[in-house]
Amino acid sequence: MTAVRDVVAAVVDPELRVVTIDELGILRDVAEESGRITVTITPTYTGCPAMDVIRSDIRRALAAAGHPESEVVTVLSPAWTTDWISPAGRDKLARAGVAPPGPAHVVPLTLAVRCTHCGSPDTSQISRFGSTACKALWRCGACSEPFDAMKAL
Amino acid sequence: MTTRVDDVLRLGDDALIAAQRLGSWYASSPEMEEDVALANIGLDQLGAARLLLTYAGTLEGAGAPEGAGRDEDALAYLRSPEEFRNCRLVERPEPDFGHVIAKLLFLSAFQLPLYIALRSGADEQLAAIGAKACKESAYHLDHSSLWTVRLGDGTAVSHDRMQAAVDTLWPYVDELFAGGVAGLSFESLRPTWESTVDGVLASATLRRPAVGAASPDESRDELVALLAEMQELHRAHPGARW
């Protein structure tokens, strides 16, 4: 089972290609019964257009690993939170130029978002809606460069 | 307690029609960041609509013969305007950006306490949808509140246009609170809505309109036109895929 789970866990998010679905915290369960694999995932945002791609990527990865019979189930509850992104996932996001989110359960706007280019905490939000549903657009006051930051949810 | 199909359709249709209106602003809003914001908010509304319509179809099929429950596509694309259950606020035209913002303020100030209430309600599926959607609604309410203040407390022109949008849409607010779902009366959300909206209007130096509710007999031409556009592709090419 570990091997099967590893195959699924290695599927990357199609919009944040540096992190896997496991690191993002959306992979909930991988179960096997009579050779048939059932993978349970949860959406980040309700309208996230990446979900369909993730479902087919999971099935393709399993088929390539010798498991043609698989099903991907989506559960809503408990609702995903950015707090489930693993420490490794957060590091990878930051290195790819997406500032990782602050904790979801405190007031997020009081925390400084560090510039992903120069590391300065002198940053400001340009728009709370960015290139994908999960990101906001920020700008650095020190180096003047814009960058994406993942919203706490 | 049973959850009625029509009550879930009301919420799903509110979100679906709102999504369609928001999507039509893409590349037409005042600045590029706002194009992205409105598209993202529309996407959130569409996500909630898909979950709610899917659930409505499940309820429709429960206890009925096999195949009696419609799926999300059949509900979105193959119902006639008379079968839509949305409140009229969401289908009202948006002749300028002020209308987009006023409508989003009124709608999200309703949807946020709605989804929070559903989250701890008796219907498990609605609770799961509410727990998910309320986090997104908080961003919608925040966004529309900021813009209402920015435009209302902006220049003389932006103030007047924002006030005009608030005045035009106000008669459709009352209908938000008609009905209920799964034991929750929408009327119970009114005090929260009023305190939220009154606070935003006051910060925006806007006047709370003193006008009555719109007549229930008004034409639904706007919804007919919206659905004709939204449903055209699916009706012409049933089952078409990208």
Side-chain angles (χ1 to χ4, degrees):
Chain A
M1 236 3 256
T2 310
V4 177
R5 195 185 189 285
D6 288 350
V7 168
V8 178
V11 171
V12 297
D13 180 274
E15 285 186 344
L16 301 163
R17 297 200 65 86
V18 292
V19 290
T20 67
I21 58 172
D22 193 29
E23 290 164 337
L24 203 51
I26 64 175
L27 176 61
R28 287 288 169 75
D29 189 44
V30 180
E32 184 171 8
E33 196 179 326
S34 324
R36 187 176 172 80
I37 314 285
T38 303
V39 178
T40 307
I41 56 173
T42 192
T44 53
Y45 282 72
T46 52
C48 180
M51 291 305 287
D52 287 334
V53 180
I54 291 172
R55 274 188 279 270
S56 61
D57 285 353
I58 290 172
R59 300 196 59 192
R60 195 177 307 127
L62 283 170
H67 303 279
E69 291 293 311
S70 66
E71 183 187 13
V72 181
V73 177
T74 306
V75 294
L76 295 176
S77 183
W80 178 80
T81 158
T82 42
D83 291 347
W84 292 352
I85 301 175
S86 70
R90 297 172 62 86
D91 286 349
K92 287 183 182 177
L93 283 173
R95 280 202 302 276
V98 180
H105 299 297
V106 298
V107 181
L109 298 180
T110 59
L111 292 171
V113 172
R114 284 192 177 273
C115 173
T116 55
H117 304 288
C118 71
S120 167
D122 174 19
T123 58
S124 57
Q125 186 176 254
I126 302 171
S127 170
R128 64 196 55 208
F129 296 91
S131 54
T132 64
C134 53
K135 286 180 256 166
L137 190 59
W138 286 65
R139 179 168 47 214
C140 178
C143 72
S144 305
E145 289 291 329
F147 62 96
D148 273 338
M150 205 156 170
K151 291 187 281 196
L153 186 82
Chain B
M1 181 215 53
T2 53
T3 302
R4 295 174 53 226
V5 176
D6 269 7
D7 297 339
V8 178
L9 281 178
R10 150 72 204 276
L11 301 179
D13 289 346
D14 278 1
L16 178 64
I17 304 299
Q20 179 72 6
R21 282 277 187 236
L22 286 162
S24 70
W25 276 86
Y26 194 70
S28 305
S29 65
E31 55 190 33
M32 202 186 285
E33 289 79 7
E34 194 55 24
D35 279 343
V36 177
L38 294 180
N40 271 312
I41 295 171
L43 205 53
D44 289 344
Q45 293 284 353
L46 186 63
R50 293 184 62 181
L51 295 173
L52 288 162
L53 292 187
T54 298
Y55 182 46
T58 310
L59 291 172
E60 192 177 50
E66 186 76 16
R70 287 170 284 182
D71 67 7
E72 53 174 336
D73 282 348
L75 286 168
Y77 295 126
L78 298 175
R79 276 182 300 155
S80 64
E82 299 75 40
E83 294 173 279
F84 271 73
R85 296 287 170 261
N86 59 284
C87 65
R88 288 179 295 172
L89 173 70
V90 292
E91 76 196 39
R92 297 311 300 158
E94 294 161 351
D96 70 13
F97 180 65
H99 285 73
V100 178
I101 293 304
K103 187 190 284 187
L104 187 61
L105 173 67
F106 296 164
L107 180 66
S108 57
F110 171 77
Q111 285 178 326
L112 179 58
L114 164 76
Y115 292 139
I116 289 174
L118 292 180
R119 188 174 61 178
S120 50
D123 185 308
E124 276 183 23
Q125 184 61 17
L126 289 178
I129 295 171
K132 192 97 201 104
C134 72
K135 298 189 194 189
E136 297 166 10
S137 282
Y139 274 103
H140 306 170
L141 179 57
D142 201 32
H143 189 73
S144 53
S145 299
L146 290 171
W147 267 112
T148 303
V149 172
R150 187 167 160 192
L151 294 172
D153 194 18
T155 66
V157 172
S158 75
H159 173 91
D160 290 351
R161 290 179 71 166
M162 197 60 221
Q163 184 70 57
V166 166
D167 292 349
T168 307
L169 293 170
W170 195 264
Y172 301 94
V173 160
D174 202 49
E175 224 172 68
L176 282 170
F177 307 104
V181 68
L184 171 75
S185 154
F186 297 152
E187 189 58 43
S188 69
L189 306 172
R190 196 191 289 262
T192 305
W193 187 93
E194 289 193 334
S195 90
T196 305
V197 171
D198 285 350
V200 174
L201 292 181
S203 308
T205 71
L206 294 168
R207 193 181 60 249
R208 182 191 164 119
V211 292
S215 160
D217 303 325
E218 267 182 25
S219 120
R220 302 292 291 267
D221 290 355
E222 291 291 343
L223 179 65
V224 174
L226 182 151
L227 292 180
E229 185 175 73
M230 188 183 88
Q231 298 178 334
E232 182 185 9
L233 184 78
H234 187 90
R235 287 183 185 268
H237 306 280
R241 301 183 65 85
W242 286 107

